[in-house]
Amino acid sequence: MKTEKEKMISGEYYNAFDPELVKGRRAAKNLLHSLNVKEYRVTKKAKEILKELIPNAGAGFYIEPPFHCDYGYNIFAGENVYFNVNCVVLDCAPVTIGSNVFIAPNVQIYTASHPLDAELRRTLENAYPVTIGDDCWIGGNSVICPGVTIGKGCVIGAGSVVTKDIPDNSLAVGNPAKVIRKLNQEPESTK
């Protein structure tokens, strides 16, 4: 029989009040308090806190506090990933971020979801993974919804709400975000 944590990570309905999950969130919140309140600046101690909070991050992983997440251990990041201030990652399911990714201020990445049925929603929730490819730039105040994959080399315009997958090398903007052009093509205005 699967644990609630295993159910959570695999996208099944799970009980978020399971003691193991509550303990994991509490541990993350304690580390976030140390990062966001006690350190706040990016110091040697802040880097140590980040390594403990997000153990699956590559070299050059950098976060400007404040930062918020649910667990931390479900964030998998390549090399040279930069989060600007006030980002939120609800990492109930895995959040996989490639290398050389820039994430602007106030970006929110959600894996957490809830049943549409109100009665079921009272006791259970679920989560779907989010993937961001290498060499992406996610513009400020963007929201990436559960289950979305953003391909390599994409730019997501500021304020966008990404509800569906975005193919490689695309510029996507809006609410909901739509691909307005491929990035390896000249814009119409320059032709």
Side-chain angles (χ1 to χ4, degrees):
M1 187 166 181
K2 287 185 178 180
T3 66
E4 296 302 308
K5 181 177 177 180
E6 289 169 334
K7 291 178 192 176
M8 176 183 78
I9 291 171
S10 68
E12 299 174 45
Y13 288 127
Y14 66 94
N15 179 352
F17 296 104
D18 174 75
E20 179 184 17
L21 295 179
V22 170
K23 183 179 177 184
R25 287 193 305 274
R26 186 174 298 124
K29 298 306 179 224
N30 288 337
L31 290 167
L32 288 165
H33 180 266
S34 293
L35 177 70
N36 294 334
V37 177
K38 294 179 182 177
E39 292 303 312
Y40 199 71
R41 294 170 295 114
V42 181
T43 62
K44 182 179 178 184
K45 178 66 175 169
K47 290 176 183 178
E48 291 170 5
I49 293 166
L50 279 175
K51 284 182 183 178
E52 186 176 350
L53 177 66
I54 304 173
N56 300 308
F61 183 74
Y62 187 93
I63 289 177
E64 280 288 345
F67 176 78
H68 307 278
C69 66
D70 279 333
Y71 298 96
Y73 58 71
N74 276 333
I75 300 171
F76 300 84
E79 296 184 3
N80 304 316
V81 171
Y82 174 81
F83 277 88
N84 210 318
V85 297
N86 210 34
C87 289
V88 175
V89 181
L90 300 184
D91 62 318
C92 301
V95 173
T96 305
I97 302 169
S99 293
N100 305 307
V101 173
F102 299 112
I103 299 177
N106 300 309
V107 168
Q108 300 173 53
I109 301 172
Y110 303 148
T111 67
S113 188
H114 300 278
L116 295 178
D117 178 85
E119 191 169 322
L120 192 58
R121 191 168 53 238
R122 291 178 193 151
T123 57
L124 298 174
E125 58 187 63
N126 58 340
Y128 303 103
V130 168
T131 301
I132 300 171
D134 294 339
D135 300 304
C136 288
W137 174 23
I138 311 299
N141 290 306
S142 292
V143 175
I144 301 170
C145 291
V148 165
T149 295
I150 297 173
K152 296 176 188 175
C154 290
V155 174
I156 306 300
S160 295
V161 178
V162 185
T163 61
K164 295 185 178 172
D165 293 353
I166 305 296
D168 290 353
N169 301 308
S170 295
L171 172 60
V173 300
N175 181 3
K178 293 186 173 148
V179 174
I180 59 170
R181 73 177 175 96
K182 295 299 264 180
L183 289 173
N184 54 357
Q185 298 173 341
E186 286 185 47
E188 290 296 318
S189 62
T190 63
K191 290 182 181 178

